[in-house]
Amino acid sequence: MIKLDHLTKRFGRFAAVDDLSLEVRGGEIMAFLGPNGAGKTTTLRMIGGLLEPTGGRIEVKGHDLARSPLEVKRIMGFIPDRPYLYEKLTAREFLVFSGGLYGVPPDRASSRGKELLRLFDLADWSDELIESFSHGMKQRLVMASALLHEPEVLVIDEPMVGLDPRGARMLKNLFRGLRDRGVTLLLSTHTLSVAEEICDRVAIIHKGRLISVGTVEDLRLLAHRHEAGLEEVFLTLTSEGEELKD
Amino acid sequence: MTESSLFNLFSPKIWSVMNRIRRRDRTTIVRIAVGSILALLFWLGAASITTRVLVHFRSAEIIGDLLAAKLLAMYWLVLFSVLLMSGLITALSTYFLAADLPLFLAAPVSISRLFYARLVETTALSSWMVFLFGLPVPVTYGRVYGAGLDYYLAMVPVFGSLILISVGVSVIFVHLLMRVFPARRTRDVLILLSLVGVLILYFLFRFLRPERLVNPETFATLTIFVAELGAPSSPWLPSVWAAETLIPLLTGKEGTPYFHLSLLISTAAAVAVIGETLARKVYAGGVSRAQEGRRIRLSGRPIVEKVLGRIAFAFPGGVGLVLAKDIRTFFRDTLQWSQLLLLAAIIVVYLYNYMVLPLDWIGAGGVWLMHLIAFLNLGLGGVVTAAVASRFLFPAVSQEGHAFWILRAAPVSLSRIVWGKFLGGLIPLTILGEILAVVSGVLLNVSTEMIVLSAVTMAFLSFAISGMAVGLGARYPDFRAGSIAHVQMGYGGMIFMLLSLALIVLVVFLLAWPTYRIVLAGEGWVPVGAGPGALILLAFGAAALVCTGSGLVSMRLGIKALAAGE
């Protein structure tokens, strides 16, 4: 569903993403892991159409992002790591606006927005200004807006940040439900337990390069840590990646 | 699914304003109220000055109308230039640096549609003020010349097209610049270009000495000068087309107003289409580059680092660290340090005003008048320092912005930090105040007593204004403000300005009589005497007390509110 082909992004001489090739299959949840500064956010921003790659190709559901950006964006929901919200809009207004961006008619956006606000426990706040929302509430609102146009692909940078345990559990169940309905999810996260719990496959990136991809079991084998949790596997693989690079 | 409508793309901005008004946001209401009053006063003032100038000009036979037409052409040129400058900065921000851009870039919105949505936004943001403040001049022309309805009707497309052309050209220029420089550097270049442009206009206007227009002796030679000078009249300039459209409609003289009007309208449409075509080719690359960081230059040099390092550890309790951080961020933000150029220009023009005072007009009462001007200059100097404080000192606490939690969480005393900010502002503000008071006193050739008196008063005023600015800035902080202008124009900023003006008036009032007696004594006319001497001391004591008290009380209020996290 998402295909990255020799994707590269350079900032001056620094390669933030270096010749990255990866495929996310339709209807799977893939965790995109890596230490800080590994190039996760840059990769996701390129998939989201916010940054232009220096080299390589991004394909979503057979559409080349560079050639048909609108086709790709229509079927995709993207949530950046620090999403912008209009503080002086109410939650409901924001959803109607956001739906409008994806061509959802206002009445449909309004009715579906209501459902989503209820789903994300924000129904009582629908007419409050966003400036009065807590960080977690804003995160839930952004999530609701990304689901409004019923995307086939969801790309989310750090979905769990700021969520309370209840919100985190709700989100995990939601992701599973979406996958069961055929939605493809690519999540960047530092919460390895989430990756272990709900993701079908995990890709690990380090210093801009893909160092491993597979199920958690595959990665355990690769790291020679058969009984270990994902955290230890991650640390082993990224420290090996460090040595390889050095 | 259809593509998002153009209206939807800028609807959040409209809803945001509506919500602010509907929810009776205090700052917005205060801003609208104060803004409306100021705009109304400006309108009345501008209309009255324009009327007087036009009536004056029309009294000069033969060349009066020519002169008025020349001035109108110059007006359109200045308006067009200001619109261009304002458009440049706004376009860079709306097209390449706006915080909400990722929302649109991630959505299935075509570049063409985004281009037009941002064009509407850029046009509205960059031109409303120019339009509002520019409108009285052509309207007054119409009134003085008794123009017909066609003149006023033509003003609508003339203004609209001129605004669209200037903004469209700015947008095209910014897109081209983005091909050469990274966005942050482009922003610096544009800020400086605009500022230099404003300074040139400012100096040109001041050094033309428009006050000579009211002097009958110089008026005759000046009218000939202006008539000869004229405005650039290149047939390629849209401002010329604006003048060529309106002048025949205004005076009823021969011309081709509708030809020039159609030139304006068709050019505006062409500029928009050219801009869109260019955006489709270069925008995606430009906006992608705009997200890249920039390198630090001068402030990263070892010598600067050494000096700042010294400052950081020269003051204990984190005060030095905050001061060094403030200096670093100040000089890394072009929007901030470039204001120093504007400040320098204000000082130069302020003092220049005293240099060109027509001293030769003043007769026997000269000495007396000089002292009176020097005394009133105290108030004026105070107002200038208050305005500078509102720009640089009042936002000092708010500027910590979203990073304020770092100071709150750190084991440092908030009180010390705020006092540190006060000291950091007090020193330059006092220097500024003293320059204004002392140099203008010297230029006016007043007595030493008067200069000393001005210097001492200004020192006290600077203390009070610094304390009020930093203290009230801490009392009414706005950590979420997008820009310093927002902080400055907010509720707290207005309160600070009103209170400082009240303080200045009070001090001037308290010192008026004592200064009068001191000048009389200084000139050897009337000795002070014991009784009045005591009263003079009392008045000076009261002024000093008011200044010190208002500074200290404001600081205390601010620190208390900040500590309480109000």
Side-chain angles (χ1 to χ4, degrees):
Chain A
M1 186 60 116
I2 305 175
K3 202 170 159 192
L4 311 182
D5 190 13
H6 298 289
L7 193 64
T8 300
K9 180 67 189 177
R10 292 182 176 281
F11 296 113
R13 269 178 287 170
F14 171 70
V17 176
D18 194 2
D19 199 32
L20 177 72
S21 292
L22 176 71
E23 190 168 353
V24 188
R25 297 170 196 145
E28 79 167 339
I29 306 179
M30 177 179 272
F32 197 46
L33 309 182
N36 291 332
K40 301 185 297 293
T41 295
T42 305
T43 306
L44 297 195
R45 286 174 83 83
M46 284 193 281
I47 299 172
L50 270 63
L51 271 180
E52 274 197 339
T54 315
R57 246 172 118 239
I58 299 168
E59 213 177 77
V60 180
K61 207 183 171 187
H63 299 293
D64 183 337
L65 179 65
R67 288 181 186 200
S68 324
L70 299 193
E71 277 75 9
V72 171
K73 290 172 184 180
R74 254 180 218 122
I75 56 167
M76 191 155 71
F78 173 73
I79 302 177
D81 56 340
R82 280 171 292 177
Y84 178 83
L85 290 166
Y86 294 96
E87 301 265 309
K88 293 286 178 193
L89 291 194
T90 65
R92 194 177 46 77
E93 287 168 344
F94 180 72
L95 288 183
V96 171
F97 158 71
S98 169
L101 287 182
Y102 287 82
V104 182
D107 48 348
R108 170 83 185 122
S110 194
S111 61
R112 181 149 168 75
K114 249 184 211 166
E115 281 169 36
L116 288 166
L117 288 174
R118 210 173 305 127
L119 177 72
F120 285 97
D121 268 346
L122 290 170
D124 292 340
W125 295 79
S126 58
D127 288 316
E128 295 300 323
L129 291 187
I130 294 171
E131 68 182 8
S132 61
F133 283 23
S134 70
H135 184 68
M137 288 163 76
K138 285 180 183 170
Q139 187 75 0
R140 279 183 274 152
L141 178 62
V142 169
M143 207 67 74
S145 79
L147 294 175
L148 199 82
H149 64 291
E150 297 174 81
E152 294 174 47
V153 178
L154 260 180
V155 177
I156 310 175
D157 201 354
E158 290 294 349
M160 298 299 170
V161 172
L163 294 180
D164 59 16
R166 192 182 139 128
R169 173 178 286 189
M170 188 269 290
L171 209 58
K172 282 189 274 187
N173 289 336
L174 178 82
F175 288 162
R176 285 194 194 102
L178 287 169
R179 175 193 46 201
D180 294 345
R181 275 185 272 146
V183 176
T184 307
L185 291 104
L186 176 61
L187 320 171
S188 138
T189 182
H190 286 296
T191 322
L192 298 183
S193 59
V194 171
E196 200 163 10
E197 210 177 316
I198 63 165
C199 294
D200 301 299
R201 289 196 304 150
V202 174
I204 299 178
I205 176 178
H206 189 40
K207 292 192 174 173
R209 283 180 166 267
L210 185 72
I211 55 171
S212 47
V213 61
T215 61
V216 174
E217 199 51 44
D218 292 340
L219 298 187
R220 278 198 192 108
L221 288 173
L222 196 70
H224 308 292
R225 307 292 299 263
H226 303 283
E227 302 296 321
L230 185 57
E231 186 177 288
E232 280 162 63
V233 171
F234 172 80
L235 290 173
T236 308
L237 289 172
T238 48
S239 62
E240 278 173 11
E242 190 88 35
E243 284 156 19
L244 268 177
K245 269 272 185 182
D246 295 340
Chain B
M1 272 189 269
T2 53
E3 201 181 334
S4 175
S5 73
L6 199 59
F7 176 75
N8 188 55
L9 298 191
F10 52 78
S11 61
K13 306 284 160 62
I14 297 171
W15 287 342
S16 297
V17 175
M18 303 278 281
N19 282 339
R20 277 170 187 271
I21 296 169
R22 206 178 300 149
R23 283 160 205 260
R24 296 192 177 83
D25 181 286
R26 198 168 55 168
T27 307
T28 309
I29 291 171
V30 170
R31 208 177 290 166
I32 290 174
V34 174
S36 307
I37 294 168
L38 288 179
L40 188 70
L41 289 176
F42 178 85
W43 262 67
L44 293 174
S48 142
I49 292 170
T50 313
T51 308
R52 285 184 66 179
V53 169
L54 287 179
V55 170
H56 198 43
F57 279 1
R58 292 196 83 185
S59 66
E61 279 178 37
I62 309 169
I63 61 162
D65 282 347
L66 177 68
L67 207 56
K70 289 272 184 191
L71 271 191
L72 190 61
M74 279 170 93
Y75 159 82
W76 286 112
L77 182 69
V78 170
L79 193 89
F80 186 62
S81 320
V82 174
L83 280 168
L84 268 179
M85 283 190 283
S86 158
L88 282 174
I89 298 286
T90 316
L92 182 71
S93 168
T94 50
Y95 279 88
F96 294 99
L97 298 172
D100 62 348
L101 271 176
L103 269 176
F104 299 96
L105 296 175
V109 176
S110 66
I111 287 178
S112 296
R113 195 149 289 189
L114 186 57
F115 172 84
Y116 283 117
R118 294 278 141 161
L119 187 65
V120 172
E121 195 181 325
T122 313
T123 306
L125 288 176
S126 67
S127 66
W128 72 268
M129 203 183 267
V130 184
F131 174 71
L132 193 73
F133 289 110
L135 200 55
V137 174
V139 169
T140 312
Y141 260 80
R143 214 169 46 81
V144 171
Y145 276 82
L149 186 65
D150 51 354
Y151 171 79
Y152 294 104
L153 284 178
M155 263 170 51
V156 179
V158 165
F159 258 114
S161 308
L162 204 69
I163 287 171
L164 201 57
I165 293 170
S166 57
V167 174
V169 169
S170 306
V171 168
I172 291 171
F173 186 62
V174 165
H175 275 74
L176 293 174
L177 268 185
M178 285 298 298
R179 302 271 298 168
V180 186
F181 301 106
R184 318 274 158 185
R185 187 58 60 195
T186 302
R187 178 173 167 266
D188 295 350
V189 170
L190 288 179
I191 289 169
L192 283 180
L193 275 179
S194 309
L195 196 70
V196 169
V198 169
L199 291 182
I200 290 173
L201 276 178
Y202 182 48
F203 280 127
L204 269 181
F205 179 73
R206 188 62 198 95
F207 295 150
L208 271 174
R209 297 173 65 186
E211 70 274 12
R212 286 182 300 168
L213 283 170
V214 293
N215 178 356
E217 282 171 24
T218 50
F219 177 68
T221 47
L222 201 71
T223 47
I224 294 165
F225 169 71
V226 174
E228 279 174 4
L229 171 80
S233 51
S234 161
W236 298 100
L237 268 177
S239 59
V240 172
W241 306 338
E244 294 290 339
T245 305
L246 291 178
I247 290 168
L249 297 175
L250 183 73
T251 57
K253 287 181 183 155
E254 243 180 79
T256 48
Y258 296 106
F259 167 71
H260 285 101
L261 184 62
S262 51
L263 260 182
L264 273 173
I265 295 171
S266 54
T267 306
V271 165
V273 173
I274 292 168
E276 186 226 329
T277 314
L278 180 71
R280 274 195 275 133
K281 291 200 188 311
V282 304
Y283 182 68
V287 79
S288 177
R289 289 180 62 192
Q291 294 167 63
E292 297 172 13
R294 55 170 283 190
R295 287 189 188 155
I296 49 169
R297 293 187 176 204
L298 194 65
S299 57
R301 294 271 165 87
I303 175 78
V304 181
E305 277 303 305
K306 208 171 170 182
V307 173
L308 290 176
R310 287 258 168 91
I311 292 175
F313 296 101
F315 303 96
V319 172
L321 286 166
V322 173
L323 197 61
K325 184 266 299 170
D326 284 349
I327 296 171
R328 261 195 197 99
T329 48
F330 182 83
F331 284 102
R332 281 176 191 171
D333 186 351
T334 312
L335 212 54
Q336 295 257 28
W337 66 258
S338 60
Q339 299 282 320
L340 293 179
L341 299 179
L342 206 59
L343 188 62
I346 289 170
I347 297 173
V348 169
V349 170
Y350 186 95
L351 297 175
Y352 175 78
N353 287 336
Y354 290 102
M355 283 173 72
V356 296
L357 263 184
L359 302 178
D360 47 329
W361 290 8
I362 302 165
V367 177
W368 181 240
L369 190 62
M370 290 303 184
H371 282 86
L372 180 65
I373 294 172
F375 178 69
L376 292 178
N377 173 52
L378 259 181
L380 205 58
V383 173
V384 172
T385 41
V388 171
S390 103
R391 174 64 185 74
F392 293 101
L393 270 70
F394 181 79
V397 171
S398 298
Q399 266 179 295
E400 294 297 329
H402 292 294
F404 182 60
W405 65 271
I406 299 171
L407 292 183
R408 280 209 76 106
V412 294
S413 147
L414 266 182
S415 159
R416 289 186 81 138
I417 299 290
V418 180
W419 276 109
K421 286 186 183 281
F422 165 79
L423 271 180
L426 174 69
I427 298 163
L429 200 74
T430 310
I431 294 173
L432 168 74
E434 294 300 339
I435 290 175
L436 295 182
V438 175
V439 178
S440 50
V442 171
L443 288 173
L444 284 167
N445 208 16
V446 292
S447 60
T448 316
E449 292 94 340
M450 187 69 210
I451 292 179
V452 172
L453 195 142
S454 301
V456 172
T457 312
M458 191 50 91
F460 274 101
L461 272 178
S462 302
F463 178 88
I465 290 169
S466 303
M468 286 165 74
V470 177
L472 294 175
R475 174 68 186 81
Y476 300 103
D478 185 355
F479 296 117
R480 291 175 173 198
S483 71
I484 288 173
H486 274 111
V487 181
Q488 203 184 347
M489 299 298 288
Y491 180 72
M494 297 287 177
I495 288 188
F496 161 69
M497 264 328 270
L498 290 174
L499 287 179
S500 358
L501 290 180
L503 173 85
I504 292 163
V505 170
L506 182 63
V507 170
V508 167
F509 174 76
L510 281 172
L511 297 188
W513 181 79
T515 313
Y516 168 71
R517 291 305 299 249
I518 288 172
V519 172
L520 284 186
E523 294 298 323
W525 293 335
V526 184
V528 172
L535 276 177
I536 288 171
L537 276 179
L538 197 67
F540 274 104
L545 200 68
V546 165
C547 286
T548 322
S550 44
L552 290 177
V553 169
S554 306
M555 284 295 288
R556 185 163 291 184
L557 277 176
I559 291 166
K560 206 174 150 193
L562 210 57
E566 279 174 23

